[in-house]
Amino acid sequence: MWNNFLWVILPYLIFASFIVGHIFRYRYDKFSVTAKSSELIEKRQLMIGSILFHVGILFVVGGHFVGLVIPKSFTEAIGMSEHTYHIIAVGIGSVFGVMTFIGMFLLTYRRISHKSVRRLSSSGDIIVNLTLLLTLLLGILSTLFGTKEVPGFDYRESISIWFRQIFMFRPDANLMAEIPLLFKLHILSAFVIFGLFPYTRLVHAWSVPLSYLKRRYIIYRKNPS
């Protein structure tokens, strides 16, 4: 029962919350979509942590997309062996995973330890930071130690297939039955992130200022007086 709930029912509950939450936020609270910048309070830790996190998370998300969405048969068809794929995935994934974790740790430490920043933060902000930190930690531990519990475990033959089946509306919970515990905890913590996404500051990810790339330059002239 629990296996079916966690890997068949829960993903759709999270997905529904993700969609409905965004619709509600846009219709009734769209002007709250902001990161509530605290740069004027403290800049150094914010700059370092933000750069590490945002650069790292782009590669982490990209790596998850490749691992979960692209079938194993595709990489084999283009001549990439399982050993080569594993070396690339673990090597690059570990580097950017650790980078993202360090960035989030600095941002979380700054938010909790700096009195003025903490005063500006809501309880939701702190929960989001801690949840992201936990998810990243579990991801790193899964990559480095998760397969020791189940020798020879290949997530592309179980988790990836289950993930793609979700979007085909026929997820097989049996594929997740023998998954190592660290991987399960990582996935469940990611569910929490997606569940919180539309109701917290995470939603500011959709407000990336892409228009800045095509707008005209702003020219500043010095006042001679």
Side-chain angles (χ1 to χ4, degrees):
M1 181 182 68
W2 275 108
N3 198 49
N4 282 308
F5 174 77
L6 291 176
W7 313 118
V8 177
I9 299 174
L10 184 60
Y12 292 111
L13 292 177
I14 295 296
F15 185 72
S17 174
F18 187 84
I19 298 297
V20 174
H22 275 89
I23 295 173
F24 180 88
R25 185 77 176 265
Y26 181 78
R27 289 194 62 181
Y28 299 104
D29 199 22
K30 62 182 177 181
F31 294 109
S32 68
V33 179
T34 172
K36 297 180 182 177
S37 176
S38 55
E39 183 178 354
L40 295 178
I41 299 175
E42 193 283 325
K43 188 173 183 178
R44 185 170 179 273
Q45 287 185 359
L46 175 63
M47 181 183 68
I48 297 174
S50 184
I51 290 175
L52 288 175
F53 174 78
H54 288 94
V55 172
I57 199 66
L58 290 176
F59 287 90
V60 169
V61 171
H64 279 68
F65 178 85
V66 172
L68 295 174
V69 177
I70 298 178
K72 184 178 180 179
S73 58
F74 178 83
T75 55
E76 291 177 343
I78 62 175
M80 182 179 292
S81 66
E82 179 62 24
H83 178 71
T84 301
Y85 175 86
H86 181 75
I87 294 297
I88 294 175
V90 173
I92 297 178
S94 297
V95 170
F96 287 104
V98 171
M99 176 190 297
T100 311
F101 177 81
I102 293 174
M104 180 48 58
F105 178 82
L106 290 174
L107 293 175
T108 304
Y109 177 79
R110 171 182 178 273
R111 186 170 297 282
I112 295 176
S113 64
H114 199 292
K115 292 183 179 180
S116 298
V117 177
R118 188 171 67 247
R119 192 178 301 116
L120 184 66
S121 307
S122 66
S123 57
D125 296 334
I126 296 175
I127 290 173
V128 164
N129 277 42
L130 293 176
T131 307
L132 279 169
L133 199 62
L134 175 63
T135 304
L136 291 167
L137 177 61
L138 289 170
I140 294 171
L141 294 177
S142 298
T143 301
L144 299 178
F145 309 110
T147 57
K148 291 186 177 181
E149 181 183 338
V150 182
F153 169 74
D154 185 355
Y155 72 90
R156 293 200 293 168
E157 295 179 350
S158 52
I159 298 176
S160 297
I161 297 174
W162 163 81
F163 180 80
R164 293 193 294 270
Q165 288 177 345
I166 291 176
F167 299 94
M168 295 183 284
F169 299 101
R170 52 182 179 85
D172 183 3
N174 293 323
L175 289 171
M176 302 295 291
E178 303 301 325
I179 299 298
L181 180 60
L182 283 173
F183 282 89
K184 289 182 178 180
L185 293 176
H186 177 56
I187 295 170
L188 291 175
S189 63
F191 281 170
V192 175
I193 292 296
F194 280 100
L196 292 173
F197 201 102
Y199 311 104
T200 61
R201 69 165 54 207
L202 285 172
V203 77
H204 84 274
W206 305 124
S207 60
V208 177
L210 295 178
S211 60
Y212 287 2
L213 299 176
K214 61 180 182 180
R215 76 176 186 179
R216 300 183 64 180
Y217 292 109
I218 298 176
I219 300 176
Y220 293 92
R221 293 184 174 88
K222 185 177 180 180
N223 190 338
S225 59

